[in-house]
Amino acid sequence: MAFLAGRRILLVLDSCEHVIDAAASLTELLFKGAPQVHILTTSREALRVEGEHVHLLAPLDCPVSAKT
């Protein structure tokens, strides 16, 4: 934590739904101990932690394949 405390970085955590509890714990620690660290997570569910901003995204369209 001390290494990140004074740094301004973006940390990306992808597919957090598989490790939601650990991801939530980590983000809470970073939110409190390293205020210049910005965290972007992707997940099918919210982390439900202080400071979280949830942006719901629609699934991507899948093109219809042409019949041959």
Side-chain angles (χ1 to χ4, degrees), residues 43-46 53-59:
S43 180
R44 292 176 185 234
E45 61 182 281
H53 298 277
V54 176
H55 298 278
L56 299 176
L57 301 175

Side-chain angles (χ1 to χ4, degrees), residues 13-18 20 41-48 52 54-57 59:
L13 304 174
D14 190 24
S15 299
C16 291
E17 64 272 4
H18 303 291
I20 197 77
T41 63
T42 65
S43 180
R44 292 176 185 234
E45 61 182 281
L47 297 179
R48 295 176 182 85
E52 180 177 31
V54 176
H55 298 278
L56 299 176
L57 301 175

Side-chain angles (χ1 to χ4, degrees), residues 14-33:
D14 190 24
S15 299
C16 291
E17 64 272 4
H18 303 291
V19 290
I20 197 77
D21 293 332
S25 296
L26 175 63
T27 56
E28 282 184 317
L29 287 172
L30 290 172
F31 183 75
K32 293 175 183 173

Side-chain angles (χ1 to χ4, degrees), residues 5 46 68:
T68 55

